Amino acid sequence: MAGKTKMTTKGAELLQAVKQMKAGKKGRVYTPEQLMAISARQSVKLTQRQFARLLNVSVDSVQDWEQGRRSPRGAAKTVLRVVMSYPEILQELSH
């Protein structure tokens, strides 16, 4: 008999979203900019504060990007794209 595996947080969130969809409830909707900001930060395994410090932006900016209150613009948007494609670059800078 196969052992039970612990569900990851992301897996639990995905399961919850599927249950909400089945129940006809609208789940959280992310913009492409939000996903880019969240994915970039998570790819380098940094907190919002650490990520903000490394990008030389305020923590509020990172939070606003991830919550969809604002979108990254200009150089910040370009850096996020680079981080998503080459996370090792920012990881080197963070050490």
Side-chain angles (χ1 to χ4, degrees):
M1 182 174 202
K4 291 184 179 182
T5 58
K6 185 176 179 182
M7 185 179 300
T8 64
T9 302
K10 289 182 189 222
E13 288 174 5
L14 183 57
L15 181 60
Q16 181 64 27
V18 170
K19 287 178 180 177
Q20 287 176 346
M21 287 176 16
K22 282 185 165 184
K25 296 179 183 176
K26 184 177 179 179
R28 178 177 254 189
V29 177
Y30 291 97
T31 66
E33 289 82 10
Q34 277 179 278
L35 292 174
M36 180 172 49
I38 294 166
S39 296
R41 182 177 64 80
Q42 289 179 344
S43 71
V44 291
K45 299 174 178 68
L46 296 175
T47 65
Q48 289 177 335
R49 182 171 303 285
Q50 293 167 327
F51 194 62
R53 190 177 311 126
L54 198 57
L55 295 181
N56 199 30
V57 299
S58 71
V59 176
D60 290 339
S61 290
V62 173
Q63 290 171 343
D64 287 346
W65 298 341
E66 292 187 7
Q67 294 299 314
R69 292 185 293 260
R70 290 182 41 214
S71 294
R73 298 179 190 198
K77 195 171 192 175
T78 300
V79 169
L80 291 175
R81 285 186 184 135
V82 170
V83 172
M84 286 179 57
S85 298
Y86 306 99
E88 64 277 0
I89 291 172
L90 211 57
Q91 285 173 335
E92 286 180 27
L93 293 175
S94 68
H95 297 300

